[in-house]
PDB file of all heavy atoms in Angstrom:
ATOM      1  N   GLY A  71     259.189 132.778 192.795  1.00 98.00           N
ATOM      2  CA  GLY A  71     259.130 131.650 193.765  1.00 98.00           C
ATOM      3  C   GLY A  71     258.781 132.068 195.174  1.00 98.00           C
ATOM      4  O   GLY A  71     259.495 131.688 196.132  1.00 98.00           O
ATOM      5  N   PRO A  72     257.636 132.752 195.388  1.00 98.00           N
ATOM      6  CA  PRO A  72     257.262 133.135 196.802  1.00 98.00           C
ATOM      7  C   PRO A  72     256.714 131.935 197.578  1.00 98.00           C
ATOM      8  O   PRO A  72     256.264 130.974 197.035  1.00 98.00           O
ATOM      9  CB  PRO A  72     256.182 134.192 196.530  1.00 98.00           C
ATOM     10  CG  PRO A  72     255.529 133.732 195.269  1.00 98.00           C
ATOM     11  CD  PRO A  72     256.667 133.252 194.396  1.00 98.00           C
ATOM     12  N   ASP A  73     256.812 132.075 198.894  1.00 98.00           N
ATOM     13  CA  ASP A  73     256.135 131.147 199.784  1.00 98.00           C
ATOM     14  C   ASP A  73     254.705 131.600 200.044  1.00 98.00           C
ATOM     15  O   ASP A  73     253.767 130.765 200.159  1.00 98.00           O
ATOM     16  CB  ASP A  73     256.854 131.053 201.157  1.00 98.00           C
ATOM     17  CG  ASP A  73     258.283 130.731 200.992  1.00 98.00           C
ATOM     18  OD1 ASP A  73     258.565 129.694 200.377  1.00 98.00           O
ATOM     19  OD2 ASP A  73     259.151 131.558 201.399  1.00 98.00           O
ATOM     20  N   LEU A  74     254.490 132.903 200.124  1.00 98.00           N
ATOM     21  CA  LEU A  74     253.220 133.516 200.444  1.00 98.00           C
ATOM     22  C   LEU A  74     252.926 134.587 199.416  1.00 98.00           C
ATOM     23  O   LEU A  74     253.790 135.382 199.120  1.00 98.00           O
ATOM     24  CB  LEU A  74     253.251 134.107 201.853  1.00 98.00           C
ATOM     25  CG  LEU A  74     252.007 134.952 202.317  1.00 98.00           C
ATOM     26  CD1 LEU A  74     250.730 134.143 202.363  1.00 98.00           C
ATOM     27  CD2 LEU A  74     252.366 135.722 203.600  1.00 98.00           C
ATOM     28  N   LEU A  75     251.706 134.555 198.841  1.00 98.00           N
ATOM     29  CA  LEU A  75     251.276 135.555 197.879  1.00 98.00           C
ATOM     30  C   LEU A  75     249.972 136.133 198.318  1.00 98.00           C
ATOM     31  O   LEU A  75     248.974 135.429 198.555  1.00 98.00           O
ATOM     32  CB  LEU A  75     251.119 134.926 196.490  1.00 98.00           C
ATOM     33  CG  LEU A  75     250.502 135.851 195.366  1.00 98.00           C
ATOM     34  CD1 LEU A  75     251.494 136.952 194.997  1.00 98.00           C
ATOM     35  CD2 LEU A  75     250.215 134.980 194.172  1.00 98.00           C
ATOM     36  N   THR A  76     249.851 137.469 198.457  1.00 98.00           N
ATOM     37  CA  THR A  76     248.575 138.110 198.691  1.00 98.00           C
ATOM     38  C   THR A  76     248.135 138.786 197.387  1.00 98.00           C
ATOM     39  O   THR A  76     248.948 139.300 196.623  1.00 98.00           O
ATOM     40  CB  THR A  76     248.689 139.191 199.813  1.00 98.00           C
ATOM     41  OG1 THR A  76     249.639 140.218 199.420  1.00 98.00           O
ATOM     42  CG2 THR A  76     249.109 138.526 201.165  1.00 98.00           C
ATOM     43  N   PHE A  77     246.825 138.740 197.244  1.00 98.00           N
ATOM     44  CA  PHE A  77     246.218 139.236 195.992  1.00 98.00           C
ATOM     45  C   PHE A  77     244.921 140.016 196.331  1.00 98.00           C
ATOM     46  O   PHE A  77     244.103 139.579 197.019  1.00 98.00           O
ATOM     47  CB  PHE A  77     245.889 138.072 194.995  1.00 98.00           C
ATOM     48  CG  PHE A  77     244.855 138.437 193.991  1.00 98.00           C
ATOM     49  CD1 PHE A  77     245.104 139.309 192.985  1.00 98.00           C
ATOM     50  CD2 PHE A  77     243.565 137.834 194.063  1.00 98.00           C
ATOM     51  CE1 PHE A  77     244.133 139.619 192.031  1.00 98.00           C
ATOM     52  CE2 PHE A  77     242.621 138.065 193.131  1.00 98.00           C
ATOM     53  CZ  PHE A  77     242.899 138.951 192.112  1.00 98.00           C
ATOM     54  N   ASN A  78     244.881 141.211 195.677  1.00 97.00           N
ATOM     55  CA  ASN A  78     243.634 142.001 195.692  1.00 97.00           C
ATOM     56  C   ASN A  78     243.520 142.665 194.334  1.00 97.00           C
ATOM     57  O   ASN A  78     244.544 143.174 193.812  1.00 97.00           O
ATOM     58  CB  ASN A  78     243.611 143.062 196.836  1.00 97.00           C
ATOM     59  CG  ASN A  78     242.477 144.114 196.602  1.00 97.00           C
ATOM     60  OD1 ASN A  78     242.780 145.118 195.995  1.00 97.00           O
ATOM     61  ND2 ASN A  78     241.300 143.806 197.073  1.00 97.00           N
ATOM     62  N   GLY A  79     242.342 142.778 193.767  1.00 95.00           N
ATOM     63  CA  GLY A  79     242.148 143.442 192.515  1.00 95.00           C
ATOM     64  C   GLY A  79     240.653 143.517 192.158  1.00 95.00           C
ATOM     65  O   GLY A  79     239.853 142.786 192.666  1.00 95.00           O
ATOM     66  N   GLY A  80     240.358 144.462 191.268  1.00 92.00           N
ATOM     67  CA  GLY A  80     239.003 144.584 190.763  1.00 92.00           C
ATOM     68  C   GLY A  80     238.344 145.846 191.224  1.00 92.00           C
ATOM     69  O   GLY A  80     237.337 146.288 190.642  1.00 92.00           O
ATOM     70  N   GLY A  81     238.901 146.549 192.221  1.00 85.00           N
ATOM     71  CA  GLY A  81     238.295 147.810 192.726  1.00 85.00           C
ATOM     72  C   GLY A  81     238.223 148.876 191.692  1.00 85.00           C
ATOM     73  O   GLY A  81     237.180 149.598 191.559  1.00 85.00           O
ATOM     74  N   ASN A  82     239.292 149.013 190.845  1.00 88.00           N
ATOM     75  CA  ASN A  82     239.276 150.053 189.803  1.00 88.00           C
ATOM     76  C   ASN A  82     238.317 149.651 188.673  1.00 88.00           C
ATOM     77  O   ASN A  82     237.716 150.551 188.047  1.00 88.00           O
ATOM     78  CB  ASN A  82     240.676 150.202 189.276  1.00 88.00           C
ATOM     79  CG  ASN A  82     241.554 150.917 190.248  1.00 88.00           C
ATOM     80  OD1 ASN A  82     241.251 151.938 190.797  1.00 88.00           O
ATOM     81  ND2 ASN A  82     242.708 150.318 190.596  1.00 88.00           N
ATOM     82  N   ASP A  83     238.155 148.392 188.441  1.00 87.00           N
ATOM     83  CA  ASP A  83     237.182 147.937 187.437  1.00 87.00           C
ATOM     84  C   ASP A  83     235.745 148.306 187.776  1.00 87.00           C
ATOM     85  O   ASP A  83     234.959 148.662 186.922  1.00 87.00           O
ATOM     86  CB  ASP A  83     237.244 146.401 187.282  1.00 87.00           C
ATOM     87  CG  ASP A  83     238.631 145.925 186.816  1.00 87.00           C
ATOM     88  OD1 ASP A  83     239.584 145.947 187.626  1.00 87.00           O
ATOM     89  OD2 ASP A  83     238.758 145.542 185.633  1.00 87.00           O
ATOM     90  N   LEU A  84     235.461 148.315 189.079  1.00 79.00           N
ATOM     91  CA  LEU A  84     234.135 148.643 189.559  1.00 79.00           C
ATOM     92  C   LEU A  84     233.717 150.048 189.161  1.00 79.00           C
ATOM     93  O   LEU A  84     232.482 150.375 189.055  1.00 79.00           O
ATOM     94  CB  LEU A  84     234.021 148.473 191.088  1.00 79.00           C
ATOM     95  CG  LEU A  84     234.243 147.112 191.683  1.00 79.00           C
ATOM     96  CD1 LEU A  84     234.026 147.157 193.173  1.00 79.00           C
ATOM     97  CD2 LEU A  84     233.363 146.062 191.039  1.00 79.00           C
ATOM     98  N   LEU A  85     234.717 150.916 189.054  1.00 73.00           N
ATOM     99  CA  LEU A  85     234.419 152.375 188.828  1.00 73.00           C
ATOM    100  C   LEU A  85     234.310 152.671 187.379  1.00 73.00           C
ATOM    101  O   LEU A  85     234.147 153.855 186.977  1.00 73.00           O
ATOM    102  CB  LEU A  85     235.565 153.241 189.422  1.00 73.00           C
ATOM    103  CG  LEU A  85     235.773 153.038 190.926  1.00 73.00           C
ATOM    104  CD1 LEU A  85     236.986 153.814 191.394  1.00 73.00           C
ATOM    105  CD2 LEU A  85     234.581 153.447 191.713  1.00 73.00           C
ATOM    106  N   ARG A  86     234.413 151.655 186.454  1.00 77.00           N
ATOM    107  CA  ARG A  86     234.400 151.889 185.064  1.00 77.00           C
ATOM    108  C   ARG A  86     233.024 151.410 184.467  1.00 77.00           C
ATOM    109  O   ARG A  86     232.465 150.430 184.896  1.00 77.00           O
ATOM    110  CB  ARG A  86     235.479 151.098 184.342  1.00 77.00           C
ATOM    111  CG  ARG A  86     236.866 151.403 184.907  1.00 77.00           C
ATOM    112  CD  ARG A  86     237.648 152.176 183.880  1.00 77.00           C
ATOM    113  NE  ARG A  86     238.958 152.579 184.368  1.00 77.00           N
ATOM    114  CZ  ARG A  86     240.025 152.752 183.638  1.00 77.00           C
ATOM    115  NH1 ARG A  86     239.902 152.546 182.309  1.00 77.00           N
ATOM    116  NH2 ARG A  86     241.120 153.214 184.187  1.00 77.00           N
ATOM    117  N   PRO A  87     232.478 152.131 183.413  1.00 74.00           N
ATOM    118  CA  PRO A  87     231.234 151.668 182.825  1.00 74.00           C
ATOM    119  C   PRO A  87     231.345 150.313 182.173  1.00 74.00           C
ATOM    120  O   PRO A  87     230.361 149.645 182.015  1.00 74.00           O
ATOM    121  CB  PRO A  87     230.969 152.788 181.737  1.00 74.00           C
ATOM    122  CG  PRO A  87     231.865 153.939 182.160  1.00 74.00           C
ATOM    123  CD  PRO A  87     233.010 153.410 182.943  1.00 74.00           C
ATOM    124  N   SER A  88     232.566 149.903 181.783  1.00 77.00           N
ATOM    125  CA  SER A  88     232.793 148.651 181.165  1.00 77.00           C
ATOM    126  C   SER A  88     232.891 147.437 182.123  1.00 77.00           C
ATOM    127  O   SER A  88     233.289 146.369 181.712  1.00 77.00           O
ATOM    128  CB  SER A  88     234.028 148.704 180.314  1.00 77.00           C
ATOM    129  OG  SER A  88     235.178 149.015 181.065  1.00 77.00           O
ATOM    130  N   TYR A  89     232.632 147.676 183.424  1.00 79.00           N
ATOM    131  CA  TYR A  89     232.699 146.624 184.438  1.00 79.00           C
ATOM    132  C   TYR A  89     232.019 145.348 183.922  1.00 79.00           C
ATOM    133  O   TYR A  89     230.804 145.402 183.615  1.00 79.00           O
ATOM    134  CB  TYR A  89     232.100 147.160 185.718  1.00 79.00           C
ATOM    135  CG  TYR A  89     231.851 146.117 186.790  1.00 79.00           C
ATOM    136  CD1 TYR A  89     232.901 145.365 187.282  1.00 79.00           C
ATOM    137  CD2 TYR A  89     230.572 145.849 187.285  1.00 79.00           C
ATOM    138  CE1 TYR A  89     232.722 144.397 188.256  1.00 79.00           C
ATOM    139  CE2 TYR A  89     230.357 144.931 188.239  1.00 79.00           C
ATOM    140  CZ  TYR A  89     231.445 144.196 188.718  1.00 79.00           C
ATOM    141  OH  TYR A  89     231.214 143.229 189.710  1.00 79.00           O
ATOM    142  N   ASP A  90     232.680 144.238 183.958  1.00 87.00           N
ATOM    143  CA  ASP A  90     232.250 142.962 183.464  1.00 87.00           C
ATOM    144  C   ASP A  90     232.447 141.896 184.527  1.00 87.00           C
ATOM    145  O   ASP A  90     233.582 141.372 184.643  1.00 87.00           O
ATOM    146  CB  ASP A  90     232.916 142.588 182.174  1.00 87.00           C
ATOM    147  CG  ASP A  90     232.441 141.291 181.561  1.00 87.00           C
ATOM    148  OD1 ASP A  90     231.669 140.575 182.238  1.00 87.00           O
ATOM    149  OD2 ASP A  90     232.946 140.919 180.487  1.00 87.00           O
TER     150      ASP A  90
END
Side-chain angles (χ1 to χ4, degrees):
D73 305 303
L74 170 67
L75 174 68
T76 61
F77 158 69
N78 165 268
N82 290 306
D83 299 73
L84 300 183
L85 301 175
R86 303 253 175 151
S88 58
Y89 167 61
D90 181 354

